[in-house]
Amino acid sequence: MSIVVLAMAFGTGEHSNQPIKLEVEEMVNRKGYDIFTQLDLGVLLDLKAGRLFLANQYGNHISTLALIKQFVFMARVYGWEDVKLIAAKQHIWRVARDLRRLAPDMCIQLYPVAVEYGPDIQLRVRSPFLWWAREMTIRLIPWPVYKKICQ
């Protein structure tokens, strides 16, 4: 069984992604796992082991579901079956839900990371109110609708 780290950025900046970066580096540099992530986090990483795979991103944003779709495709290509999911504790529930919907056969271990809200070009990660107002709305959207609007 092949193991991979799936790491999700929280916003675009170094401020909120620093704790995620440190968690990823510790795990990957110690174990040599492959890692799949997005550009916002990938450019921050200082990896001494493993292989880095970046999601294709058009513009300055990729939706959670679009990234998960790309990850599932790559997981099938590379035979990744055991996923160590690293994401902000505010975001990890939805990432895991999307991954379980698209790849129910994968073994997923969750590694939630405490991150702070702060300066970022994405307004939603600047404050808990902005994050949770958006997040709870997204969570309430029925799966077929969510899947369609997050293409």
Side-chain angles (χ1 to χ4, degrees):
M1 182 181 317
S2 188
I3 299 171
V4 64
V5 172
L6 171 58
M8 301 294 291
F10 188 72
T12 61
E14 189 171 346
H15 173 80
S16 57
N17 285 308
Q18 187 67 17
I20 299 169
K21 168 195 179 309
L22 296 174
E23 181 78 19
V24 169
E25 288 173 347
E26 180 182 336
M27 185 180 291
V28 172
N29 289 337
R30 188 168 25 94
K31 297 289 188 176
Y33 299 135
D34 288 343
I35 175 170
F36 188 92
T37 191
Q38 59 207 96
L39 186 62
D40 298 323
L41 184 57
V43 298
L44 302 175
L45 296 173
D46 181 20
L47 300 175
K48 312 265 188 278
R51 295 180 296 175
L52 176 63
F53 296 85
L54 293 175
N56 290 324
Q57 183 172 320
Y58 308 100
N60 65 357
H61 174 72
I62 183 170
S63 74
T64 297
L65 186 59
L67 190 141
I68 296 300
K69 285 180 180 180
Q70 288 185 38
F71 170 75
V72 169
F73 174 81
M74 294 295 287
R76 291 186 177 126
V77 169
Y78 286 93
W80 299 326
E81 298 172 353
D82 190 357
V83 181
K84 297 185 179 300
L85 173 57
I86 300 175
K89 65 181 182 177
Q90 302 94 313
H91 190 205
I92 203 163
W93 181 90
R94 182 161 46 98
V95 179
R97 178 203 64 185
D98 292 2
L99 183 54
R100 287 182 180 117
R101 286 281 191 147
L102 297 181
D105 52 327
M106 285 187 173
C107 177
I108 305 166
Q109 292 178 289
L110 304 182
Y111 294 84
V113 178
V115 298
E116 294 181 13
Y117 301 94
D120 198 283
I121 62 170
Q122 291 182 357
L123 294 176
R124 61 185 163 270
V125 300
R126 291 185 185 178
S127 78
F129 174 77
L130 294 172
W131 172 263
W132 288 109
R134 179 179 183 274
E135 183 67 14
M136 295 314 293
T137 302
I138 291 171
R139 289 184 187 191
L140 293 172
I141 297 171
W143 177 256
V145 176
Y146 172 75
K147 195 171 163 186
K148 188 169 195 120
I149 64 176
C150 291
Q151 298 285 358

